[in-house]
């Protein structure tokens, strides 16, 4: 867990475009310094919270995409490895493949040293097994690295959400508290 | 995680960090529950597959790799399945361990936070 790494996050002001929520030491000072009254500070914080939530949804979608991509690449690696293992064994690899939805045909893959990788954007390239393997491995590593960064981004974001939520609760409580004091004072006078 | 009531206890940066940490752990806990569920399903499917394999008397099995079904000798399929089962059960074990550790850390934090804020803070799920 990277829990200790956030100990200095009071200094961090943003992470990849996500602004950090500032921690409020004292509600009274915070309100005086920002020149806001309770209601406008609450609506400012709510607005912030809402923006954080939008970014969170975006990041979560990216995370889902990557999480789907990783097993896909692993599957590709698996089949390349299977082809590679068959090579030189004189035996052809026989496989049933889907021609169209629900319709399968049979293929014999004779001794060969290459596969074609679909690179996207309507481009397919032929690679030797070795090259295909290393390309796919590189893609896998990249995807895993991006996922790691993304997870860290999400953690950062959620910390900011929590800070904002706590701040909202504190400003609200502070307000309730102030009202009570005023009421008590008013009650004393009468 | 919501603070209720009108009582004002001082919230320090340290408290805030503990609350953040609790939030992160709670998130991870939910992710782990999903991951564990998926891992259990995978374990069961692999177990089912190897049971079916024992019952079948075919020499050549169609084994799905990626999108295609390759024709594979049954002993090779058996070896692959064993390996997959081993990996899957290790994976499940690792996830269960992480869950235990997350739960332990959460209850530590609960002690600290409830100790300070009493019932001004709520760390339970509805």
């Amino acid at each position: 867990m990277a829990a200790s790494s956030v100990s200095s996050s009071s200094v961090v002001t943003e992470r990849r475009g996500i602004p950090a929520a500032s921690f409020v030491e004292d509600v009274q000072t915070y309100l005086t310094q920002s020149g806001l009254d309770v209601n406008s500070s609450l609506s400012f914080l709510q607005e912030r919270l809402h923006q954080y939530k939008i970014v969170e949804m975006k990041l979560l979608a990216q995370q889902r995409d990557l999480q789907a991509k990783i097993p896909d690449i692993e599957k590709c690696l698996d089949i390349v490895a299977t082809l590679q293992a068959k090579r030189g064994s004189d035996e052809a690899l026989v496989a049933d493949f889907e021609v169209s939805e629900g319709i399968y045909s049979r293929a014999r893959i004779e001794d060969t040293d290459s596969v074609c990788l679909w690179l996207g954007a309507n481009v397919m390239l032929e690679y030797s097994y070795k090259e295909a393997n290393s390309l796919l491995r590189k893609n896998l590593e990249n995807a895993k690295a991006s996922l790691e960064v993304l997870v860290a981004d999400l953690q950062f974001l959620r910390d900011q959400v929590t800070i904002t939520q706590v701040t909202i609760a504190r400003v609200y409580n502070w307000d309730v508290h102030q009202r009570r004091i005023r009421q008590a004072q008013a009650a004393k006078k009468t | 995680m919501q603070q209720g009531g009108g009582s004002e206890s001082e919230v320090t940066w340290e408290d805030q960090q503990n609350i953040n940490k609790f939030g992160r752990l709670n998130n991870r806990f939910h992710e782990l529950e999903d991951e564990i569920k998926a891992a259990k399903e995978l374990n069961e499917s692999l177990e089912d597959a190897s049971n079916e394999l024992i019952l079948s008397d075919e020499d050549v099995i169609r084994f799905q790799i990626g999108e295609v079904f390759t024709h594979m000798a049954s002993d090779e399929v058996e070896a692959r399945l064993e390996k997959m089962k081993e990996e899957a059960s290790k994976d499940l074990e690792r996830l269960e361990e992480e869950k235990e550790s997350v739960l332990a850390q959460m209850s530590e934090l609960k002690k600290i936070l409830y100790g300070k804020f009493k019932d001004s803070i709520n760390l339970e799920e509805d």
Side-chain angles (χ1 to χ4, degrees), chain B residues 88-98:
Chain B
S89 74
K90 255 192 223 150
D91 223 31
L92 183 61
E93 226 170 89
R94 184 178 56 78
L95 290 170
E96 298 272 18
E97 267 169 33
E98 196 186 338

Side-chain angles (χ1 to χ4, degrees), chain B residues 80-109:
Chain B
R80 271 188 183 246
L81 272 178
E82 283 307 317
K83 207 173 143 231
M84 286 165 85
K85 269 202 294 201
E86 207 177 291
E87 274 167 24
S89 74
K90 255 192 223 150
D91 223 31
L92 183 61
E93 226 170 89
R94 184 178 56 78
L95 290 170
E96 298 272 18
E97 267 169 33
E98 196 186 338
K99 185 175 152 188
E100 288 308 309
S101 125
V102 163
L103 281 176
Q105 291 181 67
M106 277 169 78
S107 67
E108 266 313 297
L109 284 169

Side-chain angles (χ1 to χ4, degrees), chain A residues 34-53:
Chain A
S34 60
L36 294 168
D37 63 21
V38 171
N39 281 337
S40 43
S41 111
L42 280 179
S43 62
F44 167 74
L45 290 166
Q46 291 285 5
E47 169 78 25
R48 245 312 148 75
L49 196 59
H50 184 65
Q51 288 164 342
Y52 281 141
K53 288 282 171 197

